Amino acid sequence: MWLPLLGLILGLAIGYVSPFSVPINYAKYLSVGILAALDSVLGGIRAAQEDHFDSTVFLTGFFSNMILAGFLAYVGDRIGVDLYLAAVVAFGVRLFQNLAIIRRHLLKK
């Protein structure tokens, strides 16, 4: 329980003090990638609470969601359509659904 929390705090601290910035050209790709990653993480937490977590399913979903979201953003840039918004909507809806289920599970305990 404490190791993931410690990793999160350490990662936030390193990110805060490092002089890393993302070029504006890659902001769409990074934003949909982070959203897809958050969706996968919340889906993994939900699966763990429901006692059917599988690390293979989690890892393949994590990377395939990020790649698909980045690919949609790339194709949208190439054809001049904001397709990244489709990924934002899809992953946003799933993120809030997973968060609601996690919240309900925690409140029932």
Side-chain angles (χ1 to χ4, degrees):
M1 170 68 184
W2 291 105
L3 190 59
L5 186 60
L6 180 65
L8 176 66
I9 292 170
L10 183 64
L12 288 173
I14 290 171
Y16 183 72
V17 297
S18 70
F20 179 76
S21 64
V22 177
I24 194 71
N25 296 339
Y26 301 119
K28 288 181 189 176
Y29 305 115
L30 184 64
S31 64
V32 295
I34 289 173
L35 194 59
L38 282 174
D39 172 57
S40 295
V41 168
L42 286 179
I45 292 170
R46 174 186 172 189
Q49 286 181 339
E50 295 173 351
D51 293 327
H52 60 81
F53 178 79
D54 183 7
S55 61
T56 305
V57 172
F58 172 73
L59 288 175
T60 56
F62 184 84
F63 290 112
S64 64
N65 283 348
M66 285 187 7
I67 290 169
L68 177 63
F71 181 70
L72 276 175
Y74 175 76
V75 169
D77 278 347
R78 290 287 141 213
I79 63 174
V81 178
D82 289 335
L83 284 180
Y84 77 96
L85 292 175
V88 168
V89 170
F91 289 124
V93 167
R94 287 180 44 171
L95 196 140
F96 284 112
Q97 285 175 344
N98 284 333
L99 189 61
I101 292 169
I102 291 168
R103 180 183 49 84
R104 282 189 208 110
H105 181 75
L106 290 174
L107 289 175
K108 286 183 181 179
K109 278 188 170 183

